Amino acid sequence: MEALALDKPYLSRSLEETERLAADFFGMINPDGLAALYGPLGGGKTAFVRGLAKAAGVDADDVTSPTFTLINEYHGGRTPIYHFDLYRLKSPAEFYGLGADDYLNREGIILIEWADKAADRIPADRYDIRFEIIDDNSRQLIFSRVNT
Ligand SMILES: Nc1ncnc2c1ncn2[C@@H]1O[C@H](COP(=O)(O)OP(=O)(O)OP(=O)(O)O)[C@@H](O)[C@H]1O
Ligand SMILES: [Mg+2]
């Protein structure tokens, strides 16, 4: 596992490379840390969550986009992982209706897809991860630390 540099673009040329970056990120985020994932449909956010979950020892088949509930929980790994997908969030206020507060206080890593849908409600102490589509098989990822 490698330490990831912050504020530096990483080019992932495959799904596997994105999962590897996620494993590296798992080595650097605290077990109660939070990361907000931004970027377009198909950007690789869910793929990244799957890679991180695998690195934590969770059964990767469990990792899918939370649809109805907007939140999936993955247990059985080294630390619980809470996977939010706010794509269908109707308003930022609805974020708390999801019971988000409760998750924020629990031990576990929180990963939030489409965090921009609840922008200023997302805790300030976090990582931001920005995904961009470069071409069919390539994605650019930039990691940054907020409020250190
Ligand atoms: N380098 C890459 N990294 C990650 N995914 C890639 C890469 N190259 C191609 N892909 C493909 O891009 C898609 C990424 O889908 P994924 O569901 O992870 O995106 P997403 O950002 O979660 O989208 P959504 O906003 O719809 O939830 C997958 O079909 C994957 O196979
Ligand atoms: Mg997704």
Side-chain angles (χ1 to χ4, degrees), residues 89-104:
L89 200 72
K90 290 182 200 73
S91 73
E94 200 194 344
F95 180 64
Y96 291 117
L98 301 174
D101 273 358
D102 179 45
Y103 284 95
L104 299 176

Side-chain angles (χ1 to χ4, degrees), residues 12-15 17-18 39-48 50 65 85 87 113-114 135-139:
S12 159
R13 295 180 190 278
S14 66
L15 190 59
E17 271 191 49
T18 294
L41 293 167
K45 301 179 297 296
T46 300
F48 185 92
R50 190 174 299 113
S65 273
D85 188 332
Y87 187 67
E113 293 191 46
W114 290 99
D135 61 32
D136 279 2
N137 294 309
S138 302
R139 304 289 184 268

Side-chain angles (χ1 to χ4, degrees), residues 34-113:
L34 183 147
L37 280 53
Y38 310 90
L41 293 167
K45 301 179 297 296
T46 300
F48 185 92
V49 173
R50 190 174 299 113
L52 189 142
K54 273 197 210 174
V58 170
D59 185 352
D61 291 344
D62 293 346
V63 182
T64 54
S65 273
T67 48
F68 181 65
T69 57
L70 309 189
I71 302 176
N72 280 351
E73 302 187 12
Y74 312 125
H75 297 279
R78 279 194 269 161
T79 179
I81 294 169
Y82 304 112
H83 177 195
F84 293 39
D85 188 332
L86 304 184
Y87 187 67
R88 289 180 181 75
L89 200 72
K90 290 182 200 73
S91 73
E94 200 194 344
F95 180 64
Y96 291 117
L98 301 174
D101 273 358
D102 179 45
Y103 284 95
L104 299 176
N105 294 324
R106 290 199 222 168
E107 183 74 7
I109 294 175
I110 300 179
L111 300 170
I112 308 181
E113 293 191 46

Side-chain angles (χ1 to χ4, degrees), residues 105-144:
N105 294 324
R106 290 199 222 168
E107 183 74 7
I109 294 175
I110 300 179
L111 300 170
I112 308 181
E113 293 191 46
W114 290 99
D116 25 342
K117 297 268 182 177
D120 45 0
R121 321 249 162 174
I122 306 292
D125 183 12
R126 65 174 192 265
Y127 287 94
D128 278 344
I129 311 176
R130 298 182 187 283
F131 294 75
E132 271 183 46
I133 300 179
I134 304 299
D135 61 32
D136 279 2
N137 294 309
S138 302
R139 304 289 184 268
Q140 177 184 274
L141 282 72
I142 299 179
F143 300 84
S144 56

